[in-house]
């Protein structure tokens, strides 16, 4: 029992970090695209972050932006230091790259629009490729589902019903009992497993 509790205590932060990373990276391309539009109007980095924090719909990204603004406005840190701190605490490597890139741009050229436009195109390309991979995975699962959950059970149940009429057993079980087991246990739980697999794939979209 103690080992179980210890494992859960150690695993929970890892799980939370993973869940936050997935949530952040899911919407980050759209956040950066919005920042591109803001920087195109000539806004400073601080103003871009303020507007982004105000209208951001993703709660995890909004939290990260507000922490940066808090470091600047509440704790009096300069923007470059706040971005460095944000990069260190970020659960997402992609978001870390964004903060560090913004920091370097802020300290050197100050051309936020060029950097954000480039990074936005990179993120959107990665998002497109990831969606293609998800579609391929879903297509493969659909084929497996049709084969194992539609055609397979129909053929197997038909064979079992014929064997039940002819008499005999399979590994000591009557064919009629095996039909009931397939109908009420094997098929529903297999469908549930497919649903969980599809949900896990779509959660990364």
């Amino acid at each position: 029992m103690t080992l179980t509790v210890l494992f859960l205590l150690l695993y929970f932060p890892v799980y939370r970090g993973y869940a936050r990373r997935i949530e952040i990276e899911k919407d980050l391309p759209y956040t950066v695209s919005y920042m591109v539009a803001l920087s195109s109007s000539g806004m400073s980095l601080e103003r871009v972050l303020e507007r982004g924090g105000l209208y951001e719909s993703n709660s995890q990204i909004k939290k990260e932006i507000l922490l940066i603004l808090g470091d600047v406005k509440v704790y009096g840190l300069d923007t470059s230091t706040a971005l460095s701190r944000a990069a260190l605490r970020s659960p997402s490597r992609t978001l870390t790259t964004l903060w560090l890139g913004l920091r370097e741009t802020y300290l050197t050229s100050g051309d936020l629009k060029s950097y954000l436009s480039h990074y936005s195109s990179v993120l959107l390309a990665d998002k497109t490729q990831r969606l293609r991979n998800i579609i391929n995975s879903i297509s493969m699962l659909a084929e497996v589902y049709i084969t194992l959950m539609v055609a397979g059970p129909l053929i197997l149940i038909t064979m079992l019903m014929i064997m039940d009429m002819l008499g005999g057993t399979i590994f000591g079980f009557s064919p009629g009992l095996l039909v009931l087991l397939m109908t009420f246990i094997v098929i529903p739980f297999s469908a549930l497993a497919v649903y969980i697999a599809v949900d896990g794939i779509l959660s990364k979209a």
Side-chain angles (χ1 to χ4, degrees), residues 20 39 47 49 56 74 86 97-99 110 121 127 138 150 152 157 171-172 194 198:
R20 290 190 63 213
S39 62
R47 287 287 295 156
L49 292 174
E56 177 59 54
V74 178
T97 303
L98 172 64
W99 296 147
S121 64
K127 180 83 171 180
I138 294 296
V150 179
I157 288 175
F171 298 111
V194 173
V198 172

Side-chain angles (χ1 to χ4, degrees), residues 4 7 64-65 74 76 80 84 100 115-116 131 137 149 157 163 172 178 181 190 197:
T4 302
F7 173 78
E64 295 295 320
I65 294 175
V74 178
S80 62
S84 297
L100 292 178
Y115 169 73
L116 289 171
L131 290 175
S137 298
M149 301 300 300
I157 288 175
M163 292 179 65
L178 292 177
L181 290 175
S190 298

Side-chain angles (χ1 to χ4, degrees), residues 63-138:
K63 177 181 177 181
E64 295 295 320
I65 294 175
L66 292 179
L67 284 173
I68 294 174
L69 295 174
D71 284 343
V72 173
K73 295 185 176 182
V74 178
Y75 297 106
L77 300 177
D78 59 274
T79 304
S80 62
T81 303
L83 288 170
S84 297
R85 284 165 56 89
L88 289 174
R89 65 173 169 253
S90 171
S92 166
R93 186 173 299 177
T94 307
L95 185 60
T96 295
T97 303
L98 172 64
W99 296 147
L100 292 178
L102 283 175
R103 178 181 180 275
E104 294 304 316
T105 304
Y106 176 78
L107 292 175
T108 54
S109 67
D111 189 0
L112 298 177
K113 179 184 175 183
S114 296
Y115 169 73
L116 289 171
S117 296
H118 171 71
Y119 199 57
S120 175
S121 64
V122 171
L123 291 180
L124 289 174
D126 290 343
K127 180 83 171 180
T128 301
Q129 184 60 46
R130 189 161 59 248
L131 290 175
R132 286 199 185 101
N133 294 336
I134 288 174
I135 291 172
N136 292 335
S137 298
I138 294 296

